[in-house]
Structure formats: structure tokens, C-alpha cells
Amino acid sequence: MSRIGAWFRGTAPKPATPSPAASQTELRAREVAAMHDAMAGASRIMNDDIDGAEEMLREGDSAFHHLGMGVCAFMKSILGFEKTFMVEASNRLYECENAAWNEMKKAQKEANPADADERIYPPGSEYALVLADAQLMSAVVGVLHESLTEGIKGFYKLRKAYITLDGIMQAETAYLKKKGLNADLSKEQLASSSNSVTAGRGNATDDNDDTDLEFVDADEAHSGAQTPLDYEGHLGNKSNPPEKELSELSLDTDAAAAASSEKVATPAGPPSQNLDLGPESDIFNNPIDAFVHSGVNMCFGSLLLIISMVPPTFSRLLSIVGFRGDRERGVQMLWQSSRFDNINGAVAGLMLLAYYNGLLSLADILPSDEDVKKGAIVGYPKERCSALLDQMCQRYPDGGLWRFEQARVLGNSRDLRGALKILKSNTNIKMRQVSALNNFEMALDSMYVHDYTDMRDNFLRCIELNDWSHALYYYIAGTAELENYRNAFHAAEKDESQIQLHKKKADELFRKAPTVAGRKRFLARPLPFEQFVARKIQKWEERSKELDVDLVDAIGVSPAEEMIYLWNGSKKMQAPELKMSEEALSWGRMTASEEVRKAIKAEIDEQGVRDVCRAAVARSLDQFDEARELLDSVLAMDKFAFKGPTKDDYVQPAATYEMAVLAWAEVQKPELRRKTDETEEEDWLREKTDECQSWLEKVAKWEAFVLDARIGMRVQTAMDTLRWYKREHGWATA
């Protein structure tokens, strides 16, 4: 049954007169041996030995060895975002899909029907899982590819992987139910399951409701019928080739919505009653079953989590996937998979740590630490993550990825100095892609502590290690040199040579940035941050000519502080760093004449950038009244002042989001609440929660702006938090 075992079926010759029982036993033994061999090879990736993993996996020629090789290429591609590795990953995963399909059909054909009652999964499920693994990774690579066509193909494969995984989960649920095991859902699980299914049956024709991320089926209905003994995974039911099915996919949201009203809603996620079955359970004492169970939870959990985090602006495009994400269920499944000591558990653990230490570090509207301890799955469980990280470090002591995550844990705990100490010592990394991640995090943390020299050097080193966005790296390195120039310019004892040195270097870096922009694209569109950089440089160049000053003297609000805001760095800072940000945001830091300064300060969008950054710093210092006053002033500004090819169009939606954060702060911090008696407390909490949601809905419905995806991810996380909070309080949710 293992998704790994089929390798040897294709290579081992059949005896002339086999005994059926002996043949099945022998095949199963080979399958288990092959599974362990492949898992051992793939596990080397997590120990920072991807070359050793590839060398070991090349010795086999099974579908599962193909999968291991595909994982190696996939890890290189997603960690480095380099086109060469993306092409390699696509080719390897294509080979894996073909091998897995053939082995799956072979396993189904050779299965003994007499064993049906004792099987957890239908024959060939292990290879269906390998196929889904390959499709899922191929989909991610396709979406990251610069081609829109490849991106659409990626979404198509994403849906096929979902259907396959759902079929395997249904088989597992049916088996457990038949055995009378854990058939009853808890009250909390019922609530979560009910909410997911209900949301999936909402009014899909409401095009304005982007905040709920409804995904409708654009090309095929998903039957809820029980999985048959001969598992097809919905993969062999159509005669049309993939190219024809792909051509039938539509980005027309009206057509997709209309189609969804005639079809059965796809389940929002796998059954939650299976999530308490760990590796110590007798149910999964067969290593193949354990592999399938941990693999399905890892893949399905990753899929549900990734889709749930898609910003509202992409929800229409993703309607072709045919289902909605489920953050809570996805996280639960990843935790379940991480309990297993195999490559699936390691990948699940890596996904969890990337989610908690990376994506949630950008979010502000989250459950409190106390709520997380009580079981709030949408929050950040510090102790649980620390235990998971310790476990992974013990399993993979040489893995640079895990030391990188240790540093991020410290950063999220506002210990930036401790984080930098680990990052600087994490030098014995064999994988260049992991080195790039480590260096980028070091660059960000250097920015947060205002160490501009290290910040500049680390971002310039990113250019050597990574091909993702050289324009952004040059730009942020330029912002660091600008701060060095301003420090030298305003020093009590001026050193003219240092002033000119930093001024010249800042000018070079800024002018270099737009010349390398546009080389990387996402779904055939320019990268948002590269658009942002190009607009900024153009704005400063035009201002420089108009005011007859040098480029670096035409810059107003600190662009380094603006970067800190866009990466939510204030969340990781302590009071001393926040005070340094306050000083850096002073108009007095400019280097032009008083007349030029006055002209720059008069620009409305320049004022807006400064006040949003100042408001975020004030909020982080618990100065909520000051923050609200600054945001009120931004939202009162003329909206047309933020429209134009060089205007900072993200400012007002960012200010609107910040107002939502302030409302949530009042919900989470009792000391900020107005004095009320106990009978009014619940009404007041609901009023502030509704206020928070109202601000978020305004951002979600905002017209397109350059950084809408970045702010949209914060909004989406916030919406998930509010849904959880309202459910906990028994309030009706939209």
C-alpha cells in the first residue's frame, strides 16, 4: 500500500509459477525496503546534505526514487526562486508523475480482493499519493514560474492533487468508521467542520465578497461517493487529455460562479476525527500505512494552508482551483504529520515553522498568548513551536534550515541581537539556497537594529546568492547607504570625505536598481516590489530635476523606515530600536536646503508615508492615541493625491489596515478598554470586533494598488482571526 513500494514492482521479474500469497508477501517486503531506502535518502535534504540525498536516490529507478529526486530539485527551486532549478524541478516531477501513474495502475491490477477488509487504503494509494505529491510540487513551481500559461497549468494540477488526496482521506475515514474507531467529533471539531462546509455553500455569485475566499469548481464536479476498492482518484475517469481540460478552465468569475451553483460543493477539508492518531497507534504500525497517513496529512495540510493565505485580490483567479482553503484544518493536519519521524513529518515541521516564524510575523491581528494556550489554532503557539524545533534539531543536527528557524524564533520574541548572533554563526551551510535565506534574514534584522553598514553589505551579498529580485536588493542597500550619508551629514564633527563617499555610493545603488528590474515576473506580471522600486526612483529623479538638487538630496521620508514598515519590522523591535525609528522619520534628517525641504514636505503622499510609518512605531510603543491621530490625518487626505504613476498608492489602504489593528488592540488588552460593568463588557467587545472587521473589509475591497498582495495577506490572516474569535464567543459570523 505504501506510495513508495511500487518501485521494485516494475523491475522485479515474475516467477514462472508464483504462489499468490508468497508473491504478495515478497512484493510488500520489497516495497517496505524501498520505502525506507528512499526516505533515508530524502531525509538527508533536511540535514543540509542535498548532494548526498541525490547521490543516494540516483541508485533507485522507482517512482519513489523519482519523487525523492523531484523533492531535491523542488527544494532548490522554492528556496532560491531561480529559473534554472524551476525547469529542472518541472522535468523531474513530470517523470515522477508518469512513473507513479504506471505503478498505481499496476498495483490496482495485482491487488488481492480478499485483503480488502483489512486495508486502510485502496490498492495503489501509495502511488496515488506519490502522484499527488508530484502534482502539488509541480503546481507550486508552475505558479512561481514567470509564464501565465505555466501558472494556469499549475492551478490545474493543484486541483488534481486535491482530488487525489481527498479520495485517500475518504478511504481512511471509511476504514476507521467501519472499525468503530474515533467516529465521534468533538464539539470544537463539529463547529470547525460545520463552518467550513457552510462557507463552501455560500452565495458564490457575490463578486464583491473577496474577503471570504470562495473557490468554485470551474470544470468538474466532485462526487461525494465512497472511494471504490480499485482507487482511481478521479484521475482515470476522463478521456480528455490534460491539454483539453486545461483549455476549458476559465478565469471568467461570472461563469465560474454560475457553474458552482449547479454543482456539489467540494469538501473544505479532510475529516478532523483522524487527527489524534499518532505514530504510536496500532492503526499505523504498518510502515507503509504510516507513510501514507503522514504524507496525506502533510500534502493536504500544506494545500489547505497555502490556499487559505492567498490575498483577497487573487481570489477570483484561484476560483479555477475549485475549492477553498482552510487555515485551521491545514495547520491541524501539518501538526499531525509532524509527529511522524520520516521525511513527511520533517517537511510538515518545516511548513509549520515557515508559517509561524515567517508569514505570521507579518501579521498583527492574532489571538493573544493566553488564547493560544487554550487552543486557538490560528495563533502562534510559542512553546509548541519551540518543542517542534528542538525535535527537528535532534533529528537533523547538521541542518542549517533549523538553525535559521531558531534565529527567527528569537527575532519574533524581540531578541534581534540574539537572532543576529545565530545567523552570523550559521556559516557551515552546504545548500546555497539555505545560505541565501539565512543571509536575507540577517539583512532584515540588521535593518531592524539600524546597523546600516551590515544592512548594506548583507543585501548586496543577496545578489551573489540569489536571483530573485536584484532590483529590490540594490534598492534596500541604497536606503542603508542613504542613512549612512545622512548620519555623516548631520554629525557633530563633519568628515567631508565620508559624506561624499556615502552620498556617491547611495546614488550608484539607487540608479542601479531600476536597470535590473523586470527580469523576474510572477504569472507574467512584474514583481510588486520591483514596481514599487521603479516608481520610487522615478519619483526622486523627477523631483531632483524639478528642484535642481542631487538625487539623494531629493529624498524625503526615510526609505529604510518605509521598508521596515512594509516588512512589519516594528513588531520585532524593542523600545530602543523603536526610538531610533522615530528619529529616522524626522523631517530634520533630510539633507537639502530649507527651501527644498519645504517643497518635499508639502507633497501629500510624502506626508502620508511618514505618518503611516510613525503610526506603526507609536502603536508598537503602546501609544495608541497618537497612532490613531496620525492615521486619522492620513485618511482625511485627498485620495487623488495618491493616484499617479509615481505616487505611493498603498498609503491609505495601509492606514485603514492600521486602524483595524488599533481596534483589535483594544479587544486584546483589557487595560485599554473603557470602564464598564460586566453586563456591558460583552457588548463592548463585540462592538470593537465589528469595528475591526469593518476596517478590514474596506481594505479588502480597495481598488488595486502596487502592494495590495502584501497588505492583503495581513488582511486575510486578520479575517481568519476574527472568524475564530466570533465563533469562540458564539457570535454569528458572516
Side-chain angles (χ1 to χ4, degrees):
M1 279 183 229
S2 164
R3 64 180 191 174
I4 299 184
W7 313 339
F8 288 90
R9 286 198 180 103
T11 58
K14 281 190 174 183
T17 56
S19 166
S23 297
Q24 289 296 321
T25 301
E26 181 183 357
L27 286 172
R28 180 52 54 88
R30 291 183 179 183
E31 192 171 44
V32 172
M35 178 189 72
H36 284 304
D37 180 67
M39 290 174 65
S43 293
R44 291 189 177 190
I45 301 171
M46 297 300 165
N47 213 28
D48 203 22
D49 186 13
I50 199 165
D51 292 334
E54 290 183 324
E55 182 180 352
M56 186 172 179
L57 289 164
R58 283 194 189 99
E59 296 177 1
D61 190 31
S62 65
F64 301 95
H65 285 88
H66 280 297
L67 178 65
M69 293 294 287
V71 170
C72 291
F74 175 74
M75 291 294 288
K76 290 179 182 179
S77 68
I78 64 167
L79 291 177
F81 297 106
E82 297 178 51
K83 190 171 183 178
T84 303
F85 290 120
M86 290 183 183
V87 172
E88 180 186 356
S90 296
N91 293 336
R92 286 187 181 180
L93 292 168
Y94 177 75
E95 293 173 1
C96 178
E97 288 181 51
N98 290 334
W101 173 265
N102 292 333
E103 293 289 359
M104 181 181 71
K105 304 308 291 184
K106 185 180 179 71
Q108 292 171 353
K109 183 178 180 180
E110 295 178 351
N112 185 355
D115 296 337
D117 290 341
E118 296 305 316
R119 289 195 187 102
I120 299 178
Y121 307 104
S125 292
E126 60 269 37
Y127 304 112
L129 180 55
V130 171
L131 183 60
D133 267 339
Q135 288 174 330
L136 182 55
M137 288 186 286
S138 184
V140 173
V141 172
V143 171
L144 291 176
H145 205 277
E146 298 174 11
S147 164
L148 178 61
T149 301
E150 291 300 317
I152 294 176
K153 288 181 180 179
F155 290 132
Y156 173 81
K157 287 193 174 185
L158 201 66
R159 168 147 181 82
K160 303 304 286 185
Y162 172 84
I163 294 173
T164 301
L165 295 168
D166 182 56
I168 298 173
M169 288 301 301
Q170 287 184 35
E172 181 182 301
T173 303
Y175 174 86
L176 293 174
K177 185 176 181 180
K178 181 174 65 176
K179 295 294 184 181
L181 296 171
N182 199 26
D184 295 328
L185 290 170
S186 67
K187 178 180 178 181
E188 292 77 9
Q189 289 170 332
L190 281 170
S192 177
S193 179
S194 174
N195 286 342
S196 298
V197 174
T198 301
R201 294 173 182 169
N203 182 7
T205 61
D206 184 1
D207 283 343
N208 294 323
D209 187 13
D210 287 346
T211 64
D212 205 30
L213 280 181
E214 293 294 340
F215 299 124
V216 296
D217 194 345
D219 71 323
E220 67 178 306
H222 177 209
S223 171
Q226 184 174 351
T227 306
L229 176 63
D230 289 334
Y231 178 66
E232 297 291 339
H234 295 255
L235 297 172
N237 296 344
K238 289 200 170 190
S239 58
N240 292 337
E243 291 78 6
K244 185 176 188 301
E245 293 187 20
L246 177 63
S247 69
E248 294 171 356
L249 293 174
S250 173
L251 296 180
D252 186 335
T253 55
D254 294 332
S260 70
S261 65
E262 301 175 0
K263 298 179 180 180
V264 178
T266 307
S272 58
Q273 65 264 40
N274 302 353
L275 296 179
D276 65 346
L277 298 174
E280 69 284 348
S281 169
D282 290 339
I283 299 298
F284 301 116
N285 58 8
N286 183 317
I288 295 173
D289 291 343
F291 188 89
V292 174
H293 175 77
S294 60
V296 171
N297 277 278
M298 181 272 290
C299 290
F300 219 156
S302 300
L303 193 53
L304 294 174
L305 179 61
I306 290 170
I307 295 298
S308 75
M309 295 185 296
V310 173
T313 50
F314 288 147
S315 62
R316 289 187 173 90
L317 175 62
L318 285 179
S319 66
I320 65 174
V321 178
F323 67 101
R324 58 170 285 148
D326 187 332
R327 188 174 305 219
E328 293 187 45
R329 185 60 51 74
V331 168
Q332 287 173 339
M333 296 188 76
L334 287 170
W335 278 115
Q336 169 68 4
S337 180
S338 71
R339 298 168 67 183
F340 289 78
D341 187 2
N342 57 28
I343 184 61
N344 293 326
V347 173
L350 189 61
M351 280 291 299
L352 285 167
L353 293 171
Y355 165 64
Y356 286 122
N357 296 331
L359 292 168
L360 279 198
S361 69
L362 297 174
D364 304 283
I365 299 176
L366 295 167
S368 66
D369 291 342
E370 288 194 5
D371 285 329
V372 171
K373 289 178 181 178
K374 294 176 183 177
I377 196 71
V378 294
Y380 178 32
K382 295 180 182 178
E383 294 179 2
R384 197 176 184 187
C385 285
S386 295
L388 173 64
L389 187 52
D390 289 343
Q391 183 183 65
M392 292 300 168
C393 288
Q394 290 173 9
R395 292 181 187 174
Y396 310 102
D398 297 327
L401 267 173
W402 311 112
R403 291 191 292 276
F404 163 73
E405 291 295 348
Q406 286 177 324
R408 295 213 293 184
V409 167
L410 290 180
N412 289 332
S413 300
R414 297 195 171 192
D415 183 4
L416 289 168
R417 308 289 175 179
L420 282 167
K421 184 177 181 180
I422 292 178
L423 292 167
K424 289 178 180 180
S425 66
N426 193 20
T427 55
N428 297 323
I429 302 175
K430 297 178 183 178
M431 291 177 62
R432 185 168 65 92
Q433 294 80 8
V434 178
S435 292
L437 282 176
N438 192 85
N439 191 79
F440 184 73
E441 189 71 16
M442 190 157 50
L444 289 176
D445 286 353
S446 299
M447 180 168 68
Y448 302 151
V449 299
H450 301 85
D451 185 340
Y452 298 122
T453 300
D454 275 4
M455 172 185 167
R456 175 201 63 204
D457 293 343
N458 286 325
F459 275 110
L460 289 177
R461 187 161 183 263
C462 285
I463 297 169
E464 302 172 9
L465 294 171
N466 180 272
D467 288 340
W468 178 239
S469 179
H470 287 184
L472 179 63
Y473 301 151
Y474 277 120
Y475 175 81
I476 303 182
T479 69
E481 269 301 89
L482 176 67
E483 295 301 329
N484 282 332
Y485 166 54
R486 288 181 170 183
N487 285 341
F489 185 89
H490 292 290
E493 297 183 6
K494 296 185 183 296
D495 184 335
E496 192 62 32
S497 64
Q498 286 297 305
I499 293 174
Q500 295 304 319
L501 175 67
H502 292 302
K503 181 177 182 179
K504 180 181 179 182
K505 187 63 177 178
D507 184 86
E508 290 175 355
L509 292 170
F510 282 135
R511 293 188 186 279
K512 179 70 174 178
T515 66
V516 294
R519 295 181 181 179
K520 289 291 181 180
R521 305 178 79 81
F522 180 75
L523 294 179
R525 297 174 60 189
L527 298 179
F529 259 130
E530 293 202 347
Q531 288 181 283
F532 172 86
V533 167
R535 289 162 66 106
K536 277 285 185 184
I537 302 299
Q538 183 183 348
K539 177 180 185 176
W540 296 338
E541 287 177 336
E542 291 177 358
R543 184 188 290 163
S544 170
K545 292 177 181 178
E546 181 182 348
L547 300 177
D548 193 24
V549 293
D550 293 333
L551 176 71
V552 292
D553 294 320
I555 299 173
V557 178
S558 166
E561 291 302 319
E562 188 177 20
M563 281 290 111
I564 289 175
Y565 172 74
L566 293 172
W567 288 97
N568 207 11
S570 60
K571 184 179 178 180
K572 298 182 178 182
M573 295 181 188
Q574 295 188 23
E577 288 87 24
L578 292 167
K579 291 294 184 182
M580 293 175 72
S581 286
E582 280 188 331
E583 294 173 7
L585 286 166
S586 167
W587 287 124
R589 289 280 293 173
M590 288 191 289
T591 53
S593 67
E594 188 60 37
E595 182 180 356
V596 171
R597 292 187 193 189
K598 186 176 180 180
I600 295 173
K601 288 160 64 175
E603 296 181 20
I604 295 178
D605 66 327
E606 195 78 17
Q607 297 172 27
V609 171
R610 179 171 180 261
D611 286 348
V612 166
C613 293
R614 291 172 65 205
V617 172
R619 169 173 58 78
S620 298
L621 289 168
D622 288 345
Q623 299 169 358
F624 297 103
D625 290 340
E626 180 182 342
R628 185 173 283 105
E629 183 178 341
L630 288 167
L631 295 172
D632 282 337
S633 69
V634 174
L635 294 176
M637 293 176 179
D638 182 4
K639 291 185 177 181
F640 292 100
F642 298 92
K643 296 182 182 295
T646 63
K647 299 297 183 180
D648 293 298
D649 58 354
Y650 76 91
V651 170
Q652 286 193 316
T656 304
Y657 168 78
E658 287 292 326
M659 291 294 279
V661 178
L662 291 178
W664 181 249
E666 293 184 273
V667 173
Q668 291 289 283
K669 297 188 177 184
E671 64 272 18
L672 299 178
R673 302 173 189 168
R674 69 187 184 195
K675 293 183 179 181
T676 59
D677 57 44
E678 293 183 4
T679 58
E680 296 179 349
E681 177 78 1
E682 191 78 357
D683 290 339
W684 187 84
L685 284 175
R686 185 163 188 174
E687 177 186 330
K688 298 306 295 184
T689 304
D690 288 342
E691 177 189 338
C692 177
Q693 182 165 342
S694 176
W695 287 116
L696 292 173
E697 288 174 347
K698 287 181 181 179
V699 184
K701 296 176 181 179
W702 209 280
E703 61 186 295
F705 54 96
V706 171
L707 298 177
D708 53 6
R710 190 164 195 81
I711 293 176
M713 289 184 71
R714 298 192 197 184
V715 171
Q716 194 57 46
T717 300
M719 287 292 194
D720 284 342
T721 298
L722 294 189
R723 276 191 285 270
W724 158 81
Y725 191 77
K726 289 189 172 186
R727 187 175 69 236
E728 288 297 302
H729 283 261
W731 302 336
T733 56

